Amino acid sequence: MTTPHDDPHGEDIRRAAALLADASYCIALTGAGISAESGIPTFRGKDGLWTKHGEPPLNQFDEFRDSPADWWRNVAERRRNPDELTASLVNAQPNDAHFAMAELERIGVLKHTITQNVDGLHRLAGMERLTEIHGNSRLLRCTQCTTRSPFDEIPEIFPPRCDHCGGIVKTDTVMFGEPIPPDALERCYRESSRADCVLLVGTTAVVSPAADFAFAVGQRGHPMIEVNLDPTVITQYCAVALHDKAGELMSRIAASVKELRGSGDQ
Ligand code: OAD
């Protein structure tokens, strides 16, 4: 027999699983913490990139607009000499938390996930009902018509132009000062306005508009569930808050949801 002392998260995992299994339209918001166990550094917190190196300049998008060709030359240079984040993204693989979320999507419990991560790991884990609100570092995007294409190689001409509309193409990653692409924003509004439960995994939930979509669900009186290494600004509003590594917690939550639903495949 296990006691709460042996398994401090057991009861909260069961409560979180029950809320997820009961919800008719659960969405999730994920952040850098879900990819920490894949070797990708977070932004804030103890070992966060910005804690160590300071925040990046806030005028990145102005620089792109002022001179897209120069901006592309910098991208090419960064590919040759990658910084810590760029280097960590290259060979990163999904971890247990990404796979657990993919399983929750597969069995129909998780209806949509908004991720702030640009690493593409949710996709690699098999998730399809996904909005990458800050873009995907493995893609390019037309600034005019938002058509996306794989970012396999540095383009030959700076700046590259869209095959469809001739607009200027940039990487899909959303920079400081850059508006969220309208198609992503629209999907986030649509999905969060339907939701009756929200699961937040590995995010400080301090960046707008991403965090607003999760808060909106809570403000309508629906349960919020937090999975994070540490407490955050949203902890006090959560029906259940679990504080430990996302990999193990999410695996256990997914297993518990499947147990509650019998086979879990209906
Ligand atoms: P942060 O770096 O702000 O927060 C990461 C969160 O993950 C923190 O709350 C950590 O405690 C938690 N964490 C770390 N390791 C974890 C683990 N193994 N398991 C669970 N949780 C863990 O990242 P975000 O909230 O994603 O946007 O930041 C949001 C946005 O801020 C980013 O998308 C970025 C930045 O502005 C852009 O660059 C556009």
Side-chain angles (χ1 to χ4, degrees):
M1 195 181 89
T2 57
T3 66
H5 183 71
D6 300 327
D7 182 8
H9 299 308
E11 185 49 35
D12 283 339
I13 284 171
R14 282 187 288 278
R15 286 176 55 222
L19 289 170
L20 291 171
D22 281 351
S24 58
Y25 206 92
C26 182
I27 64 164
L29 174 71
T30 67
I34 194 169
S35 296
E37 290 163 72
S38 295
I40 299 175
T42 60
F43 298 101
R44 304 171 183 84
K46 193 166 73 67
D47 296 316
L49 285 176
W50 298 348
T51 313
K52 288 195 286 185
H53 307 301
E55 290 201 9
L58 297 176
N59 63 345
Q60 289 173 328
F61 191 56
D62 292 339
E63 286 175 2
F64 168 76
R65 267 199 306 224
D66 289 348
S67 177
D70 284 341
W71 183 87
W72 266 104
R73 279 184 202 100
N74 283 334
V75 172
E77 175 54 27
R78 263 207 314 282
R79 275 243 161 161
R80 281 190 292 271
N81 295 303
D83 57 22
E84 191 179 344
L85 180 58
T86 313
S88 72
L89 291 173
V90 178
N91 295 316
Q93 293 301 316
N95 64 53
D96 287 349
H98 297 103
F99 288 119
M101 290 193 63
E103 186 62 2
L104 287 173
E105 181 190 279
R106 190 187 70 80
I107 65 172
V109 168
L110 204 50
K111 298 293 197 290
H112 197 80
T113 295
I114 300 169
T115 186
Q116 298 162 91
N117 299 344
V118 300
D119 53 36
L121 295 185
H122 283 301
R123 251 177 228 276
L124 278 180
M127 291 185 81
E128 289 172 357
R129 303 177 74 148
L130 183 69
T131 301
E132 291 160 318
I133 189 170
H134 293 162
N136 182 324
S137 66
R138 298 163 204 250
L139 298 177
L140 299 175
R141 168 171 38 89
C142 172
T143 52
Q144 209 158 287
C145 71
T146 72
T147 296
R148 292 170 178 82
S149 57
F151 182 18
D152 297 327
E153 284 174 8
I154 291 291
E156 283 170 12
I157 296 167
F158 295 159
R161 295 279 176 170
C162 176
D163 290 341
H164 300 276
C165 74
I168 293 178
V169 168
K170 66 179 284 294
T171 54
D172 187 35
T173 307
V174 174
M175 293 180 277
F176 274 120
E178 179 180 0
I180 304 290
D183 56 342
L185 207 55
E186 199 269 323
R187 209 171 322 126
C188 291
Y189 274 116
R190 199 174 58 229
E191 295 294 336
S192 79
S193 61
R194 294 184 65 174
D196 63 356
C197 179
V198 61
L199 170 66
L200 296 107
V201 187
T203 179
T204 41
V206 293
V207 173
S208 272
D212 305 334
F213 293 113
F215 273 111
V217 181
Q219 274 166 349
R220 291 199 306 274
H222 299 304
M224 302 172 81
I225 302 164
E226 176 174 70
V227 172
N228 198 304
L229 203 52
D230 299 305
T232 69
V233 292
I234 52 154
T235 303
Q236 59 180 316
Y237 305 109
C238 289
V240 184
L242 284 143
H243 295 136
D244 215 325
K245 289 187 176 175
E248 190 188 341
L249 288 177
M250 284 311 305
S251 301
R252 292 186 62 193
I253 289 170
S256 185
V257 170
K258 288 176 80 171
E259 219 175 276
L260 283 172
R261 288 170 48 118
S263 76
D265 282 301
Q266 59 270 51

